[in-house]
């Protein structure tokens, strides 16, 4: 699976062009057509950060929200669900490890 396919899995239901997804991936240090490494904590964190960037851009674009809403959901309900998902991703990202940081412990002062 490629990085762009993994990002599309994470942002199901939100249709963005391939070019937009590629830009979001590049901004988070990933190449769109490289293989996704599910074993790498850094790659997983970068995908979640990219999904977060994508969702934040949708939340900041009312016109896009109007186009994405489902038949049985109002724009305000969609926005509430979207902001809830953004909050969930932010919390998840803060708690994730990277390849360089394999410890649950960090030093506040050096």
């Amino acid at each position: 699976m490629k990085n762009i396919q993994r990002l599309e899995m994470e942002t199901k239901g939100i249709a963005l062009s391939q070019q937009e997804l590629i830009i979001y991936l590049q901004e988070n240090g990933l190449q769109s057509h490289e293989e996704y490494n599910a074993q790498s904590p850094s790659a997983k964190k970068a995908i979640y950060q990219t999904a977060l960037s994508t969702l934040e851009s949708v939340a900041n674009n009312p016109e896009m929200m109007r186009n994405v809403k489902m038949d049985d959901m109002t724009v305000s309900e969609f926005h509430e669900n979207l902001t809830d998902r953004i909050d969930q991703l932010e919390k998840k990202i803060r708690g994730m490890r990277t390849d360089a940081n394999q410890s649950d412990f960090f030093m506040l002062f050096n």
Side-chain angles (χ1 to χ4, degrees):
M1 171 182 302
K2 308 287 184 200
N3 285 327
I4 197 161
Q5 294 168 320
R6 178 63 181 92
L7 177 60
E8 288 170 341
M9 278 178 47
E10 199 60 41
T11 58
K12 280 186 180 155
I14 298 176
L16 295 172
S17 73
Q18 291 283 316
Q19 285 305 110
E20 289 174 303
L21 294 176
I22 289 169
I23 296 296
Y24 286 120
L25 285 164
Q26 288 174 346
E27 288 175 348
N28 286 286
L30 295 171
Q31 295 302 314
S32 60
H33 297 292
E34 284 183 2
E35 283 294 315
Y36 171 67
N37 181 1
Q39 304 303 317
S40 169
S42 292
K44 188 174 183 178
K45 187 173 185 176
I47 288 291
Y48 283 128
Q49 288 171 324
T50 305
L52 178 62
S53 298
T54 304
L55 296 178
E56 287 174 336
S57 73
V58 170
N60 289 328
N61 186 347
E63 188 64 34
M64 181 178 265
M65 275 197 289
R66 208 171 298 128
N67 294 336
V68 174
K69 79 175 187 75
M70 306 299 175
D71 294 333
D72 60 341
M73 187 184 309
T74 66
V75 173
S76 63
E77 289 170 332
F78 176 75
H79 186 264
E80 289 172 17
N81 291 338
L82 185 62
T83 54
D84 288 345
R85 179 63 179 142
I86 288 170
D87 291 340
Q88 289 171 351
L89 275 174
E90 286 175 339
K91 288 176 188 171
K92 188 176 219 174
I93 290 168
R94 277 195 299 263
M96 293 178 84
R97 296 179 180 173
T98 62
D99 291 331
N101 177 15
Q102 291 294 329
S103 171
D104 288 332
F105 171 79
F106 74 94
M107 292 178 50
L108 185 57
F109 301 102
N110 194 2

